[in-house]
Amino acid sequence: MVIHRHPVVSVLLILGLASNIGHSLRFDLQSGRTKCISEDIKSNSMTVGKYSIVNPNEGHPLPESHRVTVRVTSKYGNSYHQMDQVESGQFGFQVVEEGDYMACFWASEHNPPATITVDFDWKTGVAAKDWTNVAKKGSIDTMELELKKLYETVTSIHDEMFYLREREEQMQELNRTTNSRMAWLSFLSLFVCLSVAGLQLWHLKTFFEKKKII
């Protein structure tokens, strides 16, 4: 019985890890303010996002004050999506530059000040794939689709593990470099302190000899 339960546990664990690839959140944005959300994405990954402003008065048109400017940029400052004064929108692109991507929302000044509620759904990797279209194009049944999802998820987690290992090695190299520089700085500081102390002793000795104190 234990042997038959292991695959089930593995599937649940993998699906649990895969659920962390997508992020859906709701946040408030004051007029005249900016709010940014960051996501660390590895290269060659697909990322999609969808955002919309929540209407504070159901059944009525959205107020003119409820508009946002949205911009998605890489850590190098390259812009991948920009929309000005919109109620909703979406973006999607293949990641080329590895690292942190920033989605920033800005609400223009308004008098009186207004609070805008934004729904934002950001998915990366396996979660960003349109599985409905995959099933239609491939004419595959539910079980085959789930197996394909599982395979894509395992591949994504495998790649993510290597990516995290590479980032860890980069951080370790940075720590080693920083420690080495700090050691050299410590030796230099010690040398300067000893040199200053020697000069002070020499100056005091010369001063006392001139005054014939010693």
Side-chain angles (χ1 to χ4, degrees):
M1 292 294 292
V2 176
I3 296 176
H4 291 292
R5 288 177 182 174
H6 283 175
V8 177
V9 174
S10 300
V11 170
L12 292 175
L13 177 60
I14 291 170
L15 292 177
L17 290 171
S19 65
N20 294 327
I21 301 175
H23 301 279
S24 182
L25 66 154
R26 173 177 288 190
F27 59 89
D28 291 334
L29 182 63
Q30 303 292 329
S31 56
R33 301 292 181 88
T34 300
K35 183 164 290 189
C36 295
I37 295 114
S38 176
E39 179 76 10
D40 186 16
I41 310 175
K42 66 179 186 295
S43 60
N44 299 321
S45 296
M46 185 67 187
T47 183
V48 296
K50 184 168 61 176
Y51 51 88
S52 61
I53 296 176
V54 178
N55 194 337
N57 303 310
E58 289 291 340
H60 295 82
L62 199 64
E64 287 296 326
S65 60
H66 284 51
R67 302 288 187 277
V68 291
T69 295
V70 185
R71 189 181 181 195
V72 180
T73 57
S74 68
K75 69 176 183 180
Y76 301 105
N78 296 322
S79 180
Y80 287 85
H81 173 78
Q82 183 165 351
M83 295 293 287
D84 297 325
Q85 299 299 306
V86 294
E87 300 176 5
S88 61
Q90 58 186 9
F91 59 86
F93 56 89
Q94 189 80 15
V95 173
V96 178
E97 301 170 308
E98 184 178 281
D100 290 327
Y101 281 74
M102 197 85 71
C104 292
F105 298 80
W106 175 74
S108 58
E109 293 282 355
H110 190 267
N111 193 15
T115 300
I116 301 172
T117 302
V118 180
D119 277 336
F120 183 40
D121 187 22
W122 197 354
K123 297 179 180 179
T124 302
V126 179
K129 199 164 187 176
D130 190 348
W131 291 104
T132 304
N133 286 336
V134 171
K136 289 179 179 178
K137 291 179 181 179
S139 299
I140 57 179
D141 58 25
T142 305
M143 180 60 70
E144 289 175 327
L145 181 62
E146 290 301 323
L147 288 174
K148 190 171 180 61
K149 284 183 182 180
L150 189 59
Y151 175 76
E152 292 279 353
T153 302
V154 171
T155 304
S156 176
I157 294 173
H158 181 265
D159 293 340
E160 187 72 19
M161 289 175 64
F162 277 100
Y163 173 66
L164 292 175
R165 184 180 299 174
E166 183 180 344
R167 291 293 297 270
E168 182 183 2
E169 290 175 355
Q170 292 175 355
M171 292 301 297
Q172 289 177 351
E173 181 62 28
L174 178 62
N175 289 335
R176 284 193 291 268
T177 303
T178 303
N179 291 336
S180 177
R181 290 177 179 175
M182 289 300 297
W184 280 107
L185 182 61
S186 299
F187 284 127
L188 180 61
S189 300
L190 181 61
F191 174 76
V192 171
C193 290
L194 292 176
S195 299
V196 171
L199 287 173
Q200 288 178 337
L201 289 175
W202 176 80
H203 177 72
L204 289 173
K205 182 180 179 182
T206 304
F207 174 78
F208 288 140
E209 285 177 349
K210 287 182 178 180
K211 295 295 183 178
K212 297 182 179 179
I213 298 177
I214 56 174

